[in-house]
Amino acid sequence: MNTSEFRRRGKEMVDYVANYMEGIEGRQVYPDVEPGYLRPLIPATAPQEPDTFEDIINDVEKIIMPGVTHWHSPYFFAYFPTASSYPAMLADMLCGAIGCIGFSWAASPACTELETVMMDWLGKMLELPKAFLAEKAGEGGGVIQGSASEATLVALLAARTKVIHRLQAASPELTQAAIMEKLVAYSSDQAHSSVERAGLIGGVKLKAIPSDGNFAMRASALQEALERDKAAGLIPFFVVATLGTTTCCSFDSLLEVGPICNKEDMWLHVDAAYAGSAFICPEFRHLLNGVEFADSFNFNPHKWLLVNFDCSAMWSRQLVRMLRLRKTCLVSAVVRRS
């Protein structure tokens, strides 16, 4: 495909997308297919010769669309909202064309700096404490993760490395393995399954705190678990508080849980993946009260804010330190494997 054909096919694709969006309510929301439906309809191996653009679009309609769940249909009410908009689609197109990999400032200065500034914009819209903002010389800041699941894992790995460094500084004879077998993290029994998965990947114990009658984690239940585990010789180090649980949109009490985490020197991560977008509205901002006690905070603009998946916004009070801790953790994991 040369530039001339790209211009022509690009316009055709925009028309296809626009027609799809305009006619989406006429499509069956959930596909009437059985598992494995697709394999018999496509070749067993990649074709040796290219297909025409027209044939590909025809296959999309005849083979792919019958198996698509149309998340943007006005009749779709499952799971959670997933955002999309024409400006976001155009932005995706531009990002794909530029194609830079922003893993460092030198790799693409504009990419790195735009992310930093935009995350400050978003943080200010949420009225996050200044400690979470990069601004001109702040220690905090935000980064875009792929999902809230990823953000929880990043926070847990950073917290794990932080507590290991602290304990080894006080007692150099302690090995990482000896510390890790005693580490314990906590979340509400209403937390998303990704929190449990982060504990499994991070190699630490995770305990579910029983929620109250409003399906929220309260200070008394958390404190009871902490005292019990410390008496058993365990090391509490990480707590996940959820604002807007997947099951029923309940809210853990940050104003209760936060001070306990600060007192016990435990990392507090706030998972607001589902409900976080609402905190931009002044009438809902009070639901975020207590975030000043948190070490990290995350929500998903790709749910309510008309941004295409995947865009999961994560802030930390000490962003550079958090990223260094994560890097240290990943390096040590590679060394152990080798």
Side-chain angles (χ1 to χ4, degrees):
M1 183 180 290
N2 57 27
T3 303
S4 177
E5 185 179 3
F6 173 73
R7 292 179 189 275
R8 180 162 58 91
R9 299 305 189 185
K11 292 172 183 175
E12 291 175 9
M13 182 59 75
V14 168
D15 284 340
Y16 179 84
V17 170
N19 291 336
Y20 169 75
M21 297 302 293
E22 285 185 333
I24 193 170
E25 63 184 90
R27 293 179 182 264
Q28 182 172 318
V29 181
Y30 188 74
D32 186 18
V33 297
E34 297 295 328
Y37 93 96
L38 185 60
R39 186 172 294 275
L41 301 179
I42 58 178
T45 59
Q48 294 295 320
E49 299 296 330
D51 288 337
T52 66
F53 185 82
E54 289 81 5
D55 286 343
I56 293 172
I57 292 298
N58 287 336
D59 284 347
V60 169
E61 273 299 324
K62 290 191 303 181
I63 299 174
I64 303 302
M65 283 299 181
V68 169
T69 300
H70 299 284
W71 280 59
H72 300 291
S73 169
Y75 303 113
F76 180 85
F77 299 107
Y79 305 114
F80 48 80
T82 177
S84 181
S85 64
Y86 292 130
M89 293 176 199
L90 292 176
D92 260 4
M93 189 174 180
L94 178 59
C95 289
I98 296 174
C100 62
I101 310 299
F103 52 72
S104 69
W105 183 89
S108 184
C111 178
T112 302
E113 296 195 17
L114 180 60
E115 179 180 11
T116 302
V117 174
M118 183 278 300
M119 291 295 288
D120 273 358
W121 284 2
L122 195 52
K124 290 174 181 177
M125 292 167 70
L126 294 165
E127 296 183 16
L128 290 180
K130 284 187 176 295
F132 285 95
L133 305 180
E135 294 190 315
K136 290 186 178 179
E139 292 186 352
V143 291
I144 297 174
Q145 304 288 356
S147 66
S149 303
E150 184 180 333
T152 300
L153 176 60
V154 168
L156 183 142
L157 294 178
R160 190 187 76 178
T161 306
K162 180 183 177 182
V163 71
I164 289 172
H165 285 181
R166 187 181 77 230
L167 294 174
Q168 287 183 328
S171 304
E173 72 280 3
L174 287 175
T175 65
Q176 180 171 322
I179 295 171
M180 281 188 56
E181 69 179 9
K182 294 184 177 182
L183 293 180
V184 58
Y186 306 88
S187 70
S188 161
D189 59 8
Q190 300 297 308
H192 190 266
S193 59
S194 61
V195 178
E196 180 181 6
R197 188 163 60 244
L200 291 171
I201 296 173
V204 299
K205 301 175 183 67
L206 179 75
K207 297 196 174 182
I209 304 300
S211 54
D212 67 6
N214 292 318
F215 305 104
M217 177 167 58
R218 304 300 297 270
S220 56
L222 176 61
Q223 190 69 61
E224 182 181 340
L226 292 178
E227 297 304 326
R228 185 170 57 248
D229 288 341
K230 286 192 294 183
L234 298 178
I235 305 171
F237 81 106
F238 183 69
V239 174
V240 177
T242 306
L243 301 182
T245 59
T246 305
T247 51
C248 61
C249 202
S250 59
F251 289 75
D252 293 334
S253 178
L254 293 184
L255 290 171
E256 291 186 13
V257 171
I260 293 177
C261 293
N262 286 188
K263 176 185 173 184
E264 300 286 345
D265 201 12
M266 297 187 298
W267 186 296
L268 174 59
H269 176 67
V270 178
D271 175 9
Y274 175 63
S277 301
F279 303 150
I280 293 174
C281 303
E283 63 268 32
F284 297 124
R285 174 56 180 78
H286 69 278
L287 295 169
L288 188 55
N289 289 347
V291 70
E292 60 271 16
F293 296 108
D295 295 278
S296 52
F297 170 80
N298 163 253
F299 87 101
N300 288 346
H302 63 232
K303 284 190 169 72
W304 290 16
L305 294 186
L306 304 181
V307 179
N308 292 351
F309 187 86
D310 50 0
C311 178
S312 189
M314 180 184 187
W315 290 264
S316 173
R317 286 181 173 275
Q318 294 182 309
L319 179 63
V320 174
R321 177 173 171 78
M322 183 190 75
L323 295 176
R324 285 175 179 164
L325 289 171
R326 182 180 70 167
K327 182 178 180 181
T328 300
C329 177
L330 294 174
V331 169
S332 64
V334 171
V335 171
R336 286 200 305 274
R337 289 195 189 99
S338 60

